């Protein structure tokens, strides 16, 4: 989670202020966008498997609903605190506005470590969270989703508990559900697929080659899927990493093969090394270098895709980044100082509020399909996702050119402009 000293909510306020200045917003409009509509905070208690009681802090921040119901995930993490949840809720409002879907921004969190709790205990936490906030959730009020250490199974428990607590049937009150419980086809690949559509637009306007050398940091849901799609599209995946290390090769990797290795071992590095012992012959044959997970960021490539943690691209490593285009699938991977350096160096950063918005866009489709009581096909999801991502990327790019500012600032200007307009309507 956030390991930097940068206060994430302070960063949001600074970006908001820049956007408000460009747009000439009044101080009271800026204040409205700087303040969450509601901060819900409660202690929730569960019985642990050994019979003891554990109490933990739970949050739901409803940041802004000027454009539609609050929307945003719930994370289970020991470091989830109010500042973090507030900044993520604000970012959700901006993200939904940038891709122009009729939803606002919210986020939730429970401060505990799911890794030290049994599955039954995690289920009790999920159900207790919903009971605590049931009156504030609902398809037209506030629609949560999975986030760090929460998943589709947890969403299924939550909707079930919500229906029990409120005595209503409302599959649309939460997204990211399993397919047999109202979930949508393509949600698993939506974030990466949205990033690919945005990247396609950018490589076109930046006049980059048709086939590119791409490095991806993080080999989880977002990163591994993006690597797989780009490889299938004919790009060369010159570097991959996970929490244990990285593998790099000019010849490229097949992410499907890497995924198979990852499934049967701890790390992708096991393809070439078992502990400290590396298969030098195999590495030479494949032209592979094995390194740390930070080495990956500095590999020679055209496109770098941070898809792991926040604050990975910093003032320290930014001068050595070789990519011409950075696609932020992760939330907050670039510090403000690194951002400024990239702008100076002519490196284009496709910001998180745009690059990873495919996820919330397909969540919006799930919300719609539940409201319409029908099931969308995988083709319908792709057909509707592509134009949304392409138009949003074009709008942000054109604004950044017109205002001569980085795409992140331009995305904020666009998002704030749309929310402020909805507030005055
Ligand atoms: P995940 O847990 O599936 O995968 C994370 C990956 O990052 C794992 O492979 C892990 O080994 C790797 N990792 C951890 N520390 C690392 C390090 N120091 N260096 C390199 N790799 C490291 O998570 P995910 O769902 O793929 O999400 C990744 C990022 O994308 C997060 O910032 C998340 O907020 C963002 N995001 C994801 C979605 C989504 O739909 N999955 C949507 C929006 C944003």
């Amino acid at each position: 989670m956030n390991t930097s000293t940068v206060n994430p909510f302070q960063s949001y306020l600074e970006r908001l202020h820049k956007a408000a200045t460009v747009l000439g917003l009044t101080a009271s409009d800026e204040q409205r966008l700087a303040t969450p509509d509601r901060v819900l905070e409660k202690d929730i208690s569960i019985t642990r498997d050994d019979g003891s009681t554990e109490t933990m802090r739970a949050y739901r921040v409803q940041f802004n609903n000027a454009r539609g119901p609050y929307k945003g995930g719930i994370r289970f993490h020991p470091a989830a605190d109010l500042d973090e949840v507030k900044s993520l809720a604000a970012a959700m409002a901006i993200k939904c506005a940038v891709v122009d879907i009729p939803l606002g921004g919210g986020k939730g969190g429970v401060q505990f470590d799911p890794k030290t709790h049994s599955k039954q205990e995690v289920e009790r936490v999920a159900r207790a969270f919903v009971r605590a906030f049931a009156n504030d959730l609902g398809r037209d009020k506030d629609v949560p989703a999975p986030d760090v250490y929460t998943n589709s199974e947890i969403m299924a428990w939550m909707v079930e508990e919500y229906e029990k607590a409120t005595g209503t049937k409302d599959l649309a009150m939460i997204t990211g559900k399993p397919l047999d419980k109202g979930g949508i086809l393509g949600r698993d690949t939506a974030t990466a697929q949205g990033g690919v559509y945005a990247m396609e637009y950018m490589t076109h306007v930046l006049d980059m080659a048709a086939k590119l050398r791409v490095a991806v940091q993080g080999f989880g849901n977002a990163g591994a899927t993006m690597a797989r799609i780009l490889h299938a599209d004919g790009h060369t995946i010159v570097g991959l990493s996970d929490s244990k290390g990285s593998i790099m090769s000019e010849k490229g990797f097949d992410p499907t093969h890497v995924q198979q290795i990852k499934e049967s071992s701890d790390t992708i590095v096991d393809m070439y090394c078992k502990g400290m012992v590396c298969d030098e012959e195999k590495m030479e044959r494949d032209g592979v270098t094995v390194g740390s997970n930070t080495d990956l960021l500095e590999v020679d490539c055209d496109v770098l895709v941070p898809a792991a943690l926040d604050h990975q691209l910093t003032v320290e490593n930014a001068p050595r980044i070789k990519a011409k285009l950075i696609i932020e699938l992760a939330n907050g991977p670039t510090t403000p100082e690194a951002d400024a350096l990239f702008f100076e160096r002519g490196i284009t950063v496709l910001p998180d509020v745009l690059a990873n918005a495919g996820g919330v866009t397909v969540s919006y489709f799930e919300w719609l399909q539940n409201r319409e009581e029908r099931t969308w096909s995988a083709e319908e999801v792709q057909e509707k996702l592509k134009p949304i991502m392409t138009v949003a990327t074009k709008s942000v790019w054109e604004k950044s050119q017109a205002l001569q500012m980085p795409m992140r600032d331009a995305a904020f200007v666009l998002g704030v402009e749309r929310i402020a307009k909805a507030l005055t309507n």
Side-chain angles (χ1 to χ4, degrees):
M1 208 124 316
N2 179 23
T3 49
S4 137
T5 51
V6 184
N7 174 317
F9 193 63
Q10 194 54 40
S11 301
Y12 166 75
L13 293 179
E14 282 164 21
R15 291 202 168 111
L16 168 66
H17 184 63
K18 255 197 229 173
T21 308
V22 170
L23 292 164
L25 290 193
T26 63
S28 75
D29 278 351
E30 183 178 339
Q31 188 54 30
R32 177 85 206 270
L33 283 158
T35 320
D37 290 347
R38 293 175 77 205
V39 173
L40 309 168
E41 230 181 313
K42 284 185 185 168
D43 282 333
I44 59 174
S45 297
I46 61 152
T47 306
R48 293 208 65 170
D49 293 343
D50 64 6
S52 64
T53 301
E54 184 181 0
T55 300
M56 44 192 90
R57 202 74 181 145
Y59 307 95
R60 183 73 190 168
V61 174
Q62 300 182 324
F63 205 88
N64 190 288
N65 66 352
R67 294 173 41 86
Y70 304 105
K71 181 89 194 85
I74 299 169
R75 60 176 53 184
F76 288 174
H77 197 279
D81 63 14
L82 191 53
D83 246 0
E84 181 182 78
V85 176
K86 240 166 57 177
S87 65
L88 292 164
M92 284 304 296
I94 300 290
K95 195 180 290 190
C96 292
V98 166
V99 285
D100 208 8
I101 56 176
L103 293 169
K107 204 81 180 186
V110 183
Q111 206 174 70
F112 85 112
D113 185 359
K115 288 185 179 167
T116 60
H117 288 69
S118 70
K119 190 172 168 184
Q120 291 73 18
E121 289 169 339
V122 171
E123 178 175 350
R124 282 174 219 136
V125 174
R127 291 183 185 277
F129 180 93
V130 170
R131 283 196 301 278
F133 299 119
N135 290 335
D136 303 294
L137 305 176
R139 61 166 67 188
D140 295 317
K141 285 187 195 166
D142 184 349
V143 185
D147 194 67
V148 175
Y149 294 138
T150 53
N151 56 24
S152 60
E153 190 176 24
I154 294 176
M155 299 304 108
W157 294 329
M158 286 185 160
V159 70
E160 194 183 285
E161 195 64 28
Y162 177 83
E163 292 185 340
K164 222 189 301 173
T166 59
T168 55
K169 283 265 160 247
D170 191 2
L171 281 180
M173 63 77 52
I174 206 161
T175 61
K177 301 179 291 294
L179 279 180
D180 62 350
K181 297 211 165 63
I184 192 159
L185 287 161
R187 176 60 189 87
D188 284 357
T189 52
T191 301
Q193 185 64 67
V196 171
Y197 291 143
M199 174 177 150
E200 282 170 0
Y201 179 83
M202 288 312 301
T203 54
H204 168 69
V205 291
L206 294 174
D207 209 12
M208 293 173 81
K211 299 297 170 209
L212 296 161
R213 295 167 311 138
V214 184
V216 182
Q217 184 203 33
F219 202 68
N221 177 292
T225 310
M226 179 110 180
R228 247 191 340 263
I229 299 172
L230 292 177
H231 178 260
D233 287 348
H235 300 290
T236 307
I237 308 301
V238 295
L240 291 167
S241 68
D242 61 19
S243 60
K244 304 274 168 55
S246 61
I247 49 175
M248 294 156 283
S249 168
E250 272 293 318
K251 293 185 184 171
F253 300 98
D254 175 353
T256 306
H257 179 56
V258 179
Q259 181 88 51
Q260 285 158 359
I261 304 284
K262 173 103 178 161
E263 269 157 25
S264 58
S265 68
D266 214 21
T267 163
I268 58 174
V269 176
D270 280 0
M271 267 181 85
Y272 294 94
C273 304
K274 297 275 178 267
M276 301 299 285
V277 184
C278 297
D279 185 338
E280 305 281 351
E281 213 179 295
K282 192 173 169 201
M283 283 170 65
E284 198 174 321
R285 189 195 65 211
D286 294 352
V288 164
T289 313
V290 169
S292 70
N293 46 36
T294 48
D295 290 339
L296 180 279
L297 300 168
E298 298 174 26
V299 74
D300 193 5
C301 63
D302 305 306
V303 180
L304 174 64
V305 184
L309 307 173
D310 58 5
H311 295 99
Q312 297 300 295
L313 299 167
T314 64
V315 70
E316 203 272 314
N317 61 15
R320 297 190 299 275
I321 301 300
K322 298 181 188 68
K324 284 277 151 286
L325 175 63
I326 297 172
I327 312 274
E328 291 187 340
L329 276 198
N331 281 314
T334 310
T335 65
E337 298 81 4
D339 238 353
L341 262 175
F342 289 144
F343 190 59
E344 254 176 59
R345 292 187 54 208
I347 296 173
T348 304
V349 180
L350 202 72
D352 49 7
V353 286
L354 169 62
N356 69 32
V360 72
T361 303
V362 174
S363 285
Y364 161 58
F365 298 161
E366 180 177 335
W367 179 74
L368 279 181
Q369 85 162 7
N370 294 151
R371 295 173 76 97
E372 295 166 350
E373 294 185 17
R374 71 180 181 97
T375 304
W376 289 29
S377 68
E379 292 71 32
E380 189 175 0
V381 171
Q382 293 313 314
E383 272 164 23
K384 297 211 159 103
L385 176 62
K386 186 171 182 175
I388 288 181
M389 291 305 299
T390 307
V391 168
T393 310
K394 181 173 189 285
S395 307
V396 172
W397 169 249
E398 288 175 356
K399 214 170 244 314
S400 81
Q401 293 305 289
L403 297 171
Q404 285 298 298
M405 56 169 51
M407 287 184 81
R408 189 186 315 281
D409 292 343
F412 258 70
V413 171
L414 184 67
V416 167
E417 187 176 26
R418 287 178 174 161
I419 298 170
K421 191 167 164 218
L423 280 172
T424 52
N425 283 340

